[in-house]
Amino acid sequence: MTLLLVSLFAMLLIGVPIAYSLGISGILYFVFLEPDLIGVLPQRMLAGMDLYTMIALPLFILMGLVMNASGITSRLIDFCLMLVGRFRGGLGHVNISTSMIFGGISGSSVADTASVGASMIPEMARKGYTVETASGITVASSTMGMIIPPSIPMVIYAVTAQQSIGTMFLASLVPGVMIGLFMMGVIVIMSGRNGYPRASGNLSRKEKVSVIQRALLAFLIPVFVVGSVVGGIATATESAAIGAFYAITLGVVVFRTLPLSALPALFRSAIITSATVMIIIAMSQLYVWILTIEQVPLLLGNFLTSLELSPFALLLVVVLAVLFIGTFIDVTPAILLVTPVVLPILTQAGISPIHFGVLLVSTLAIGLVTPPVGMCLNVCSSITGLSIGRIFRGALPFLLANLLVILVVMLFPALTLWPTWLTP
């Protein structure tokens, strides 16, 4: 295990991508300690990707890319401006509520940061917000993108933990919305101190109808995707295909903002992004296998059992560990590495895999906004030119909302377990 961990961290420090760091570190273990098993490695790597459910991953990614390229963000911003722009600190509320809705469409926090940030940050700066604060609001609110359904990380967790994707989608809905509402509470406090203005006046009835009509078709995407899975009409893979087809139809036929010539580039981008995730999944299988060979889950379980912790204390220890892991390991490999090790221990302690899954993804979402990895920080930095340190400082007050929601969900599991009451 020393060889495994030292080699992994050494490669991460010199800038080797996480997928190859995991793969090289795992191969080194087998070369030096288990050379007889090297011939089995290709099979073990491919087994983790050879799942029908994983076809949903590139389809969800394609759906988000198409909606982003179709200019849907401006329609959502106009709708949110109508709803909350009249309140003090209106643009802050608009930023958060747009991220809340966009997260339910794209399923990606990084896409949320790129799309909403490019539109909202310059406008907020013109209305009296510092660029640091505007950037902080944008990256912090984008964490809802991987919590509010449909969520790409939630799909990966559901497959890894062998849970229903539809149930995981519903379980993450309440915590995701709570994060947005708590962040709006932070905006209210900051507006009182800094005098942030309202964003717009009252619209006429005709203008309101126009704004709603422009945004309504986009709102149907999460209804189609999540509703078809939960209602048993389609599998997660089929619902992702429905969502992608609907997104293309909106962009090409209805809105006419997406030319057919742009589709090949979007398909290519979705393939490349999906391949990156699949490579990480394949390489992480080596690590999971090594952990099994070394009996790490059993040893860790015995250690935690010996501490005689209550279920809440055990869950708190795990969440703190995940919070630390998320600062230097991206979301997908963290889910793939943590779940097989920790989930059996928590299940034995009576903690639901559904409850843990929501906490795991919610906690890892914070890692997208914390240095040194912080994918959302890096995207926002490329938009604004600010350092990731300054953006992180702007995001800190809003990340407290994330932490508060995680604590509330830990104390009240019913916030995530209510979907299980719907099934007999």
Side-chain angles (χ1 to χ4, degrees):
M1 292 305 297
T2 301
L3 170 67
L4 197 68
L5 295 176
V6 170
S7 60
L8 174 62
F9 284 109
M11 282 180 283
L12 288 175
L13 286 174
I14 63 176
V16 178
I18 181 67
Y20 302 112
S21 297
L22 288 168
I24 294 171
S25 177
I27 290 172
L28 286 175
Y29 170 88
F30 288 103
V31 168
F32 289 103
L33 300 177
E34 297 287 351
D36 295 338
L37 297 177
I38 290 180
V40 189
L41 297 189
Q43 186 273 334
R44 298 293 305 186
M45 294 168 62
L46 292 173
M49 301 184 293
D50 188 19
L51 297 170
Y52 171 75
T53 311
M54 293 306 295
I55 301 175
L57 183 63
L59 292 172
F60 277 130
I61 292 172
L62 175 63
M63 182 181 70
L65 291 173
V66 170
M67 294 308 297
N68 193 20
S70 299
I72 190 64
T73 308
S74 62
R75 296 169 181 264
L76 296 179
I77 289 175
D78 290 342
F79 179 79
C80 294
L81 197 59
M82 180 190 72
L83 286 183
V84 296
R86 62 184 181 275
F87 301 119
R88 185 171 294 278
L91 283 182
H93 295 302
V94 170
N95 192 323
I96 294 170
S97 56
T98 302
S99 292
M100 192 183 302
I101 298 171
F102 192 86
I105 294 174
S106 71
S108 167
S109 294
V110 176
D112 187 340
T113 299
S115 185
V116 176
S119 302
M120 289 298 304
I121 293 175
E123 183 64 23
M124 293 178 72
R126 285 193 290 268
K127 296 296 184 179
Y129 294 79
T130 65
V131 178
E132 183 176 300
T133 299
S135 300
I137 295 172
T138 300
V139 295
S141 62
S142 69
T143 58
M144 291 182 287
M146 59 181 280
I147 302 172
I148 294 178
S151 160
I152 295 172
M154 205 63 75
V155 172
I156 295 173
Y157 171 80
V159 173
T160 306
Q162 298 181 346
Q163 297 297 311
S164 164
I165 294 177
T167 301
M168 293 307 307
F169 280 172
L170 288 180
S172 61
L173 178 60
V174 173
V177 173
M178 285 176 61
I179 290 174
L181 296 177
F182 283 22
M183 286 185 180
M184 287 183 176
V186 176
I187 289 289
V188 170
I189 297 173
M190 294 181 68
S191 297
R193 294 178 178 177
N194 301 314
Y196 293 143
R198 293 174 174 82
S200 67
N202 294 324
L203 299 178
S204 67
R205 182 175 181 180
K206 184 177 180 180
E207 289 172 328
K208 290 180 180 179
V209 171
S210 175
V211 169
I212 293 173
Q213 287 177 340
R214 282 171 50 84
L216 181 61
L217 292 176
F219 291 148
L220 294 178
I221 292 181
V223 175
F224 284 152
V225 173
V226 179
S228 60
V229 176
V230 174
I233 300 172
T235 65
T237 303
E238 292 165 347
S239 70
I242 293 171
F245 176 77
Y246 180 74
I248 293 173
T249 302
L250 282 186
V252 175
V253 179
V254 181
F255 297 157
R256 297 184 180 179
T257 53
L258 183 66
L260 285 173
S261 58
L263 289 180
L266 294 175
F267 290 152
R268 182 176 181 272
S269 181
I271 291 170
I272 292 174
T273 303
S274 303
T276 303
V277 175
M278 289 298 186
I279 291 173
I280 294 174
I281 292 173
M283 296 302 182
S284 67
Q285 294 304 306
L286 299 183
Y287 245 68
V288 173
W289 192 25
I290 292 169
L291 295 175
T292 303
I293 293 173
E294 295 292 332
Q295 297 184 329
V296 170
L298 178 62
L299 295 174
L300 181 60
N302 291 336
F303 170 72
L304 293 176
T305 301
S306 67
L307 298 178
E308 298 182 351
L309 299 174
S310 66
F312 177 81
L314 177 61
L315 195 56
L316 179 61
V317 169
V318 171
V319 167
L320 291 175
V322 170
L323 193 63
F324 171 73
I325 291 170
T327 61
F328 60 89
I329 296 182
D330 201 12
V331 175
T332 298
I335 292 173
L336 295 169
L337 293 176
V338 170
T339 302
V341 175
V342 173
L343 185 57
I345 301 169
L346 296 178
T347 303
Q348 187 177 3
I351 297 170
S352 168
I354 296 171
H355 186 207
F356 171 66
V358 175
L359 286 172
L360 175 63
V361 174
S362 301
T363 305
L364 289 175
I366 297 176
L368 293 173
V369 193
T370 54
V373 177
M375 291 296 296
C376 290
L377 290 178
N378 285 284
V379 171
C380 191
S381 178
S382 67
I383 295 173
T384 62
L386 294 181
S387 67
I388 61 174
R390 288 186 62 186
I391 299 172
F392 175 65
R393 285 197 296 271
L396 268 177
F398 302 94
L399 292 180
L400 294 177
N402 291 64
L403 293 172
L404 182 58
V405 170
I406 289 172
L407 180 60
V408 171
V409 171
M410 289 174 61
L411 291 170
F412 303 100
L415 293 172
T416 62
L417 297 180
W418 64 268
T420 61
W421 306 340
L422 303 178
T423 56

